[in-house]
Amino acid sequence: MKKIIAVLVMGVIIGIYCLSLRNAGQEKKVVSTSASVAEKLQTITQELEESYPSTPKEVVEKHNELMRIGYSSDIKDEEFTAYAEALRMLYTKRLQEVNPIETQVSGLIAERLENEDKPLIMINSEIMDVTIIKDSDDSQNDSAGVVVKHGTNKGNITKEYSLVKEDGMWKIQSWETQKSEEDSTQSQTTSNNE
């Protein structure tokens, strides 16, 4: 009888030990994921400071890279300020003025809370078209349009980014979400059913 009790006690101790090891591993994963987001943002910020993109396509590619970080399940609310600061390095001064960083961060957090049951996750981005309009008199007045299809867990989102040269660097001045074929078909079906 004593042997059976001893075996049972040892089994319980081993079980508790195994569970504690498994839980300790999960805690480490959370810490390393958070650190990786911060490291990615720091790396991108450093790249932008040292070697700013020279073409509209490169600017939007860097923006897409940041979007994949911002619209991932890994980013935490406290990392949105660093995320917004990195994004703003790609924006015109005017866009930064009309959209203060505090407003941008609170909007990002509100968007996350709004979609808490099924967060928007950016899976990939594909540049569909790049158009550069040159001003023959002054290259500082050049402008560009870049169309991007963002693949998300909720479907594709197509955006057209408008860029201008500011202090010799291409900067995003605005963007517009284009209606997808799915949206057009759905709205047409809805209007036909009313």
Side-chain angles (χ1 to χ4, degrees), residues 41 45 78-87 105:
L41 291 171
T45 300
E78 57 272 10
E79 294 170 318
F80 277 125
T81 299
Y83 168 67
E85 288 171 348
L87 281 173
V105 170

Side-chain angles (χ1 to χ4, degrees), residues 30 141 157 163:
V30 170
N141 290 328
I157 300 170
L163 292 89

Side-chain angles (χ1 to χ4, degrees), residues 13-27:
I13 292 172
I14 290 171
I16 291 171
Y17 179 74
C18 289
L19 284 174
S20 68
L21 286 177
R22 190 175 82 194
N23 288 340
Q26 287 178 346
E27 290 172 14

Side-chain angles (χ1 to χ4, degrees), residues 40-57:
K40 288 177 187 177
L41 291 171
Q42 184 178 14
T43 299
I44 292 171
T45 300
Q46 188 174 2
E47 288 172 359
L48 289 171
E49 289 171 346
E50 293 173 0
S51 178
Y52 192 84
S54 60
T55 67
K57 182 179 181 183

Side-chain angles (χ1 to χ4, degrees), residues 2-3 16 27 29 32 38 40 48-49 54 59 64 67 72 78 87 100 109 120 142 144 146 167-168 180 190:
K2 289 183 180 183
K3 288 183 181 180
I16 291 171
E27 290 172 14
K29 287 180 185 174
S32 67
K40 288 177 187 177
L48 289 171
E49 289 171 346
S54 60
V59 170
N64 291 345
M67 295 277 287
S72 72
E78 57 272 10
L87 281 173
I109 293 171
L120 181 66
D142 291 351
V146 180
D167 300 326
S180 68
T190 304

Side-chain angles (χ1 to χ4, degrees), residues 155-190:
N156 292 330
I157 300 170
T158 303
K159 291 188 177 187
E160 183 169 359
Y161 294 88
S162 175
L163 292 89
V164 294
K165 274 200 173 173
E166 184 175 88
D167 300 326
M169 296 184 288
W170 288 102
K171 299 282 187 169
I172 297 172
Q173 74 173 351
S174 65
W175 59 86
E176 183 178 326
T177 302
Q178 299 176 346
K179 287 210 178 248
S180 68
E181 291 177 24
E182 296 164 2
D183 291 342
S184 300
T185 305
Q186 185 162 5
S187 66
Q188 184 179 12
T189 304
T190 304

